[in-house]
Amino acid sequence: MNLQNRYEFLFYIECVNCNPNGDPDMGNTPRIDPQDMHGYITDVAIKRRIRNYIQNAYKDKKGMRIIMESSTNINKFIAEAHEKTDGLASKDKAKVAAAREYACSNFYDVRTFGAVLSTGLNAGQVRGPVQLTFARSVEPILPLDITISRMLVAENVKGATTVSDYEKWESEQDEDKLRTFGRKQFISYGLYEARGFVSANLSENTGFSE
């Protein structure tokens, strides 16, 4: 069923003893606003979780594939859209449009969030009807950085190829050298609020429906 109205929505994300969205430039610590210590989760991170859920829950359902898969190359799927629509001449406007329509029909995240499909063969650009904001914690959060112990090591022992080689190496080590430490970043609790909207016009353009 096509959408007839613009919908605005509000949702909450409750985080308990976890890292809802680590910042790789800050040692993967939970993201915070340094001015007031409120935490936030980027819209990209929220979309990633939605994509992962759709991929797991609807993986066998037609039209519910994900184009922004983890650890892959989006150009592969753009090439697929052209191959399936006989549109390898990607500068032809009709073939670009056909590839774009194929992507909207087959990939849930393209018709939902939109995508730039011109990084390889050109399949145009899709403006998604579903837009999300950053999630922001209702109260300030306290990022924690704790030491965790690992009760074994993963040492690359030179010349060791057999079980007996590794056992001999272990017997020559002090017990403390067979353990190591690591770091873990998390928050004990945080309630995050986020907003978004769904555009009826863009929904019709991409085929997104209820």
Side-chain angles (χ1 to χ4, degrees), residues 168-184:
K168 179 178 182 300
W169 177 83
E170 286 178 358
S171 67
E172 297 170 349
Q173 310 304 311
D174 292 334
E175 184 177 351
D176 286 343
K177 291 186 177 180
L178 295 174
R179 296 191 291 259
T180 187
F181 295 98
R183 312 293 299 176
K184 194 172 186 67

Side-chain angles (χ1 to χ4, degrees), residues 145-151 180-186:
D145 183 3
I146 62 173
T147 302
I148 56 175
S149 57
R150 188 183 187 196
M151 301 307 294
T180 187
F181 295 98
R183 312 293 299 176
K184 194 172 186 67
Q185 296 78 24
F186 71 106

Side-chain angles (χ1 to χ4, degrees), residues 31-51:
R31 297 180 188 272
I32 61 168
D33 182 339
Q35 290 186 318
D36 57 17
M37 296 302 290
H38 281 74
Y40 64 91
I41 305 172
T42 66
D43 56 338
V44 173
I46 297 171
K47 290 175 184 178
R48 178 77 270 157
R49 287 164 171 79
I50 295 172
R51 287 183 171 103

Side-chain angles (χ1 to χ4, degrees), residues 60-75:
D60 297 324
K61 190 171 180 180
K62 184 178 179 181
M64 299 297 285
R65 295 169 61 195
I66 297 297
I67 201 170
M68 298 291 183
E69 289 186 2
S70 178
S71 303
T72 189
N73 188 337
I74 187 176
N75 291 340

